[in-house]
Amino acid sequence: IIEGGADGSSDTTGSFESSTMFANSSAAFNNFTANITKPAGTDIQMQIAVAQAPPPGTSCDGATYTFLGPNGNSTAYFTPNGETITGQVPFGSFSPSYQNPAQCFRYRAYFSTDDSSFTPYLNDITVNYSQ
């Protein structure tokens, strides 16, 4: 999953945090669909974060993110169903810095494998929002 350590070994877990999607004005982030490849013995899970752009609200630089799973739970994860991960983006405010609607969106993917010869893949993600 994360290959090329100092000793040339591979880790069996890793994560990826996306760059920020800036909606320009306040948006209600509704749902997402991630297309994945998940070989046997591997797993991939996701969390999402929605945050308000700091004043003057023209970029997400300096925004603080709280990553959540289903129902606004910070210890829960969106999980695969076949070759996709889909979910409703939690609506409302959750402590300490999650707010939807807002302007800034990120996701985090968590990867794991039982055999470092095989790894799950996050192929792409589509986010639905309305302004």
Side-chain angles (χ1 to χ4, degrees), residues 50-117:
V50 181
Q52 190 64 37
T58 56
S59 88
C60 294
D61 292 346
T64 303
Y65 296 92
T66 298
F67 288 87
L68 304 176
N71 301 318
N73 187 334
S74 64
T75 60
Y77 300 88
F78 296 97
T79 58
N81 182 4
E83 296 293 311
T84 61
I85 299 175
T86 60
Q88 298 295 317
V89 177
F91 192 78
S93 296
F94 298 89
S95 183
S97 60
Y98 182 98
Q99 183 179 335
N100 185 20
Q103 295 170 295
C104 310
F105 178 91
R106 284 188 185 179
Y107 63 88
R108 190 179 284 163
Y110 303 89
F111 304 89
S112 64
T113 185
D114 293 338
D115 180 347
S116 60
S117 299

Side-chain angles (χ1 to χ4, degrees), residues 10-31:
S10 300
D11 287 334
T12 58
T13 62
S15 64
F16 170 78
E17 186 171 318
S18 73
S19 58
T20 303
M21 182 186 127
F22 178 56
N24 209 16
S25 62
S26 189
F29 292 91
N30 303 311
N31 54 62

Side-chain angles (χ1 to χ4, degrees), residues 1 12 36-45 80 82-83 110-121:
I1 288 178
T12 58
I36 63 167
T37 303
K38 188 178 150 321
T42 70
D43 197 19
I44 181 171
Q45 302 175 324
E83 296 293 311
Y110 303 89
F111 304 89
S112 64
T113 185
D114 293 338
D115 180 347
S116 60
S117 299
F118 299 97
T119 185
Y121 294 92

Side-chain angles (χ1 to χ4, degrees), residues 26-30 101 128-131:
S26 189
F29 292 91
N30 303 311
N128 173 277
Y129 67 97
S130 47
Q131 291 183 306

